[in-house]
């Protein structure tokens, strides 16, 4: 999966916005203002950071040694860095959904209601 395909996957999720809050080369996807993925556009090979359940993060790092690593410049407990071109697209899609769902689960009731109201 390349970065354009990754962007399409993220932006189609309900309530998602894309921004460049850090610099012109770091694309950030948020749901209701909360970050669920970070994609440094200039990094080669293509990589992204995704939020992940801590236990699952460890399992993924062991199963995909060197391809999924602790989050670069992020909390190593809650974030993984994925090398996109070396992973199956279905796994990337699953992990984007997992990251999105983790963030949505932590939203306030008011934020969740607002998200549900988005068409």
């Amino acid at each position: 999966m390349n970065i354009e395909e990754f962007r399409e996957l993220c932006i189609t999720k309900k309530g998602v916005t894309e921004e460049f809050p850090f610099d012109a080369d770091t694309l950030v996807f948020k749901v209701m203002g909360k970050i669920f993925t970070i994609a440094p556009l200039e990094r080669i090979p293509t990589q992204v950071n995704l939020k992940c359940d801590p236990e699952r993060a460890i399992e993924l790092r062991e199963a995909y040694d060197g391809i999924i690593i602790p989050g670069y410049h992020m909390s190593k407990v809650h974030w993984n860095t994925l090398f996109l071109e070396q992973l199956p697209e279905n796994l990337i899609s699953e992990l984007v959904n997992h990251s999105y769902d983790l963030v949505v689960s932590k939203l306030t009731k008011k934020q969740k209601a607002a998200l549900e109201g988005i068409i």
Side-chain angles (χ1 to χ4, degrees):
M1 178 177 290
N2 63 38
I3 197 68
E4 291 85 12
E5 293 166 327
F6 182 80
R7 179 192 172 273
E8 286 299 317
L9 176 65
C10 292
I11 201 67
T12 59
K13 303 198 77 49
K14 191 173 195 175
V16 169
T17 59
E18 58 183 334
E19 306 173 12
F20 288 91
F22 306 121
D23 57 43
D25 299 321
T26 307
L27 180 58
V28 173
F29 294 94
K30 298 180 179 182
V31 57
M32 303 305 290
K34 306 290 183 184
I35 296 173
F36 76 96
T37 187
I38 299 173
L41 300 176
E42 298 299 317
R43 204 161 298 255
I44 299 172
T46 305
Q47 54 192 272
V48 297
N49 289 345
L50 290 170
K51 200 162 185 93
C52 192
D53 171 76
E55 288 181 25
R56 184 155 189 220
I58 292 168
E59 292 171 6
L60 287 164
R61 294 171 196 165
E62 290 172 355
Y64 296 92
D65 188 32
I67 301 171
I68 296 179
I69 61 174
Y72 182 72
H73 282 293
M74 304 295 287
S75 165
K76 309 300 187 224
V77 175
H78 297 281
W79 290 84
N80 279 336
T81 296
L82 286 66
F83 292 88
L84 289 185
E85 284 128 2
Q86 300 175 43
L87 292 167
E89 288 189 16
N90 63 334
L91 177 62
I92 296 168
S93 180
E94 176 188 333
L95 295 177
V96 166
N97 290 336
H98 177 67
S99 181
Y100 176 89
D101 291 343
L102 279 174
V103 172
V104 168
S105 75
K106 301 293 183 186
L107 295 175
T108 65
K109 288 181 182 178
K110 185 176 179 179
Q111 289 171 318
K112 287 179 183 176
L115 180 61
E116 285 300 315
I118 295 173
I119 297 174

